[in-house]
Amino acid sequence: MHDAVLSGRQPPAQPRDVVGRSWSRLQADGVSPDRCEDVVLADYAEVEARRTRTALRSVLPELRDTLTQVAEDANFIVVIADADGVVLWREGSRGVRKAADALGFMEGARWSERSVGTNSIGTALVEDAPVQLFSAEHYARSHCGWSCTGSPVHDPRSGEVLGVVDISGSAMSVHPTTVALVQTAVRLAEATLWQEHTITLGKLRGYAAPALGATAGPALVVDRHGWVADARGLTVPDRVSPPCPGTPLLVPGLGLCMLEPLGDGWLVRRGGRPTAIAVELDLGDTPRATVRGDTSWTRALSPRHAQILRLLTETGSAGIDAASLSVALFGDRDHVVAVRAELSRLRKSLGPVLSTHPYRFVDGVDVHVVG
């Protein structure tokens, strides 16, 4: 099946959907199986820098406790990669580690889909879902002796993908329960991150009480992800848009607010009466967006950003998720990563008028399309 699909012949059967989507992406990008065998290795300094800044560092003990001994007993290796698919840690069976070295599957290796083809790390990142691959379901022929199971880890505070937990071994060692094992480890890791978030929010609440007591008028204190530690004089949801230093934050009931550093978070307040926020979208030949509140700013829009904003106006308060946006923009669900990148750039350009999970205009923003 692998040889037939990649040579353009009619295969004896169709690959599983997740495999077919991955092979199609790689073929569309002109990536050959042979090129995928040329592994790119980051140097020691880059690997250490990535290890230092990833949030997965704090949950490494839980992942080790859950998986490492099982992997050694079952002749697997456990691999933890960051959101770029770069392998940060690798433990487990000595024999499998030696085989992985010969493949280039080692710490510092970039195991993204575009780098090494269909694999349970890179493909799990693209699909944003657990992926198990067997033998020739891998794109590169040198990977056909392997079975791999990977699941993405999400930051429960922001929803972003932090990386992937993977268990890999010989093709003959594949087992359906491996998916459940990896997902259990991921859930434990995400629970630990949420517990850290609760502790951090409690500490910030201690800073918040005196600061809010000394503030005239309504105000709130939020962490760097937008989670509300405490508020005075208004009712707010558990979370607002993530603060961006130097950019006003739009808070329902308050309007545009300025940020003041407070501990590991921000004091958010404004004086006077709430200001209505309006967004005017000119989606004609030269698309642009104008945001009006206490101040106003206009941003030129790329054709893709104009298309996204038109879709957001059509979906209204219900919003739309990344997978549905991928279908609307590209005709399939294979471009979720590209969609997220475009929305990230769009939110930085327009400021605090767009929210995520799902993507939509923030409540209270009046949107008017003129083109």
Side-chain angles (χ1 to χ4, degrees), residues 75-79 96 105 120-121 146-149 166-170 173:
N75 216 28
F76 287 119
I77 55 172
V78 177
V79 175
V96 180
F105 191 26
S120 61
I121 292 175
W146 290 77
S147 67
C148 306
T149 303
D166 167 87
I167 285 185
S168 294
S170 72
S173 63

Side-chain angles (χ1 to χ4, degrees), residues 77-155:
I77 55 172
V78 177
V79 175
I80 300 171
D82 65 13
D84 294 323
V86 176
V87 176
L88 301 182
W89 293 281
R90 191 193 68 171
E91 298 179 359
S93 165
R94 182 185 299 271
V96 180
R97 277 188 283 133
K98 186 176 180 180
D101 287 344
L103 197 68
F105 191 26
M106 59 184 70
E107 291 169 343
R110 184 175 290 272
W111 225 249
S112 65
E113 190 177 77
R114 283 186 59 84
S115 297
V116 297
T118 307
N119 72 91
S120 61
I121 292 175
T123 304
L125 286 171
V126 174
E127 295 280 335
D128 194 13
V131 171
Q132 184 172 53
L133 297 171
F134 170 72
S135 188
E137 289 184 325
H138 292 88
Y139 195 66
R141 294 180 179 88
S142 58
H143 299 179
C144 291
W146 290 77
S147 67
C148 306
T149 303
S151 182
V153 184
H154 295 86
D155 189 332

